[in-house]
Amino acid sequence: GTPAYMSPEQILGKEPDPRSDLYSLGIILFEMLTRQRPFDDESSVTLCMKQLNEEPPRIHAFQPVSEALERLVRGLLAKKP
């Protein structure tokens, strides 16, 4: 997978399942709403560490959205499938 869109379980070498796709969808939705990814770095290793250990920023910090949409994207970006 592409590191910027990989789920935490993929980064840890676990077998991906449909929930991994939901995580990637969360990354895409975040990017569509804010015009940037929730986790980014030039180094793939650092990017993967961010995916594993950091919470994504709130969309409200970039763009006003409904609380329901914020919760949806945060749910998709949950660290545990």
Side-chain angles (χ1 to χ4, degrees), residues 7-59:
S7 65
E9 59 270 19
Q10 287 177 287
I11 292 168
L12 294 172
K14 296 178 182 175
E15 189 66 31
D17 64 28
R19 295 172 295 184
S20 297
D21 292 334
L22 292 174
Y23 184 89
S24 299
L25 176 62
I27 298 284
I28 292 166
L29 285 175
F30 188 100
E31 190 172 9
M32 289 173 62
L33 292 166
T34 67
R35 297 185 182 166
Q36 62 183 5
R37 291 185 289 233
F39 308 102
D40 207 6
D41 201 278
E42 290 182 21
S43 163
S44 294
V45 172
T46 303
L47 173 61
C48 288
M49 294 304 294
K50 288 180 178 183
Q51 292 274 53
L52 291 172
N53 299 305
E54 293 182 12
E55 289 300 316
R58 293 186 52 85
I59 296 170

